[in-house]
Amino acid sequence: MKTPWLPTTGPIPQGFETARLRVRPLTIHDLVKDYDAVMSSRAELRGVFPGSDWPRDDLTLEQDLIDLAWHQKEFQSHGSYAYTVVSPDELQVLGCIYLYPPSDPTTQADLLWWVRTSELGTGLKEHLREALQRWISDAWGLTRVVA
């Protein structure tokens, strides 16, 4: 088991809810809706992960399942934390949030996130950004995050 990179003084935050969205841990059970969000937002996502061409145009459902399983296992072992952003009724994945060990030793974590392409221009991205800032500070107690 990896040594946790964040102090564990309590339970890991399980997410949050607003009137427009729900954030909760990403699991393999999100596969079909996650795959739809990822594949419909490929162009936007290619700029989210530095040095990565993910997701490739030929990403398969099975490959996405492997990715989700890896994220779920990393969450359980405290290696990193991936959250799905879903509509309040959970009918659609709206994006994802990833909290990784810091790439810069002067910070506490790296925060990467995205909103599906169909939600750009609806104000959801700005809404999520504001909610994330509060959540990272209040629930996680992090003040030095690369976002």
Side-chain angles (χ1 to χ4, degrees):
M1 179 188 231
K2 289 182 184 176
T3 303
W5 52 276
L6 287 173
T8 52
T9 57
I12 297 301
Q14 294 298 299
F16 63 90
E17 230 176 294
T18 74
R20 294 190 67 184
L21 55 84
R22 175 178 296 147
V23 171
R24 60 169 174 70
L26 180 65
T27 74
I28 59 171
H29 303 289
D30 297 308
L31 176 62
V32 173
K33 294 172 191 165
D34 180 78
Y35 185 74
D36 175 63
V38 167
M39 295 308 286
S40 68
S41 304
R42 290 186 307 271
E44 296 294 327
L45 286 171
R46 290 199 182 107
V48 171
F49 302 95
S52 173
D53 66 350
W54 185 89
R56 294 174 35 139
D57 287 338
D58 61 353
L59 179 72
T60 65
L61 192 64
E62 181 180 40
Q63 290 166 329
D64 195 39
L65 175 62
I66 292 166
D67 285 347
L68 296 186
W70 178 81
H71 284 303
Q72 187 172 346
K73 187 64 177 174
E74 280 284 297
F75 196 108
Q76 292 170 349
S77 67
H78 304 289
S80 64
Y81 302 95
Y83 295 86
T84 188
V85 179
V86 294
S87 57
D89 59 10
E90 299 226 7
L91 292 177
Q92 187 177 49
V93 167
L94 303 174
C96 283
I97 300 165
Y98 311 90
L99 197 59
Y100 290 120
S103 55
D104 177 344
T106 65
T107 64
Q108 295 169 297
D110 288 356
L111 176 67
L112 303 172
W113 59 282
W114 58 272
V115 171
R116 70 184 297 145
T117 301
S118 62
E119 292 296 324
L120 298 176
T122 68
L124 184 71
K125 187 172 185 176
E126 296 75 15
H127 175 77
L128 179 56
R129 178 184 296 117
E130 290 172 13
L132 265 176
Q133 289 171 342
R134 285 189 305 274
W135 184 60
I136 291 297
S137 174
D138 296 348
W140 286 90
L142 300 175
T143 57
R144 296 182 329 274
V145 176
V146 175

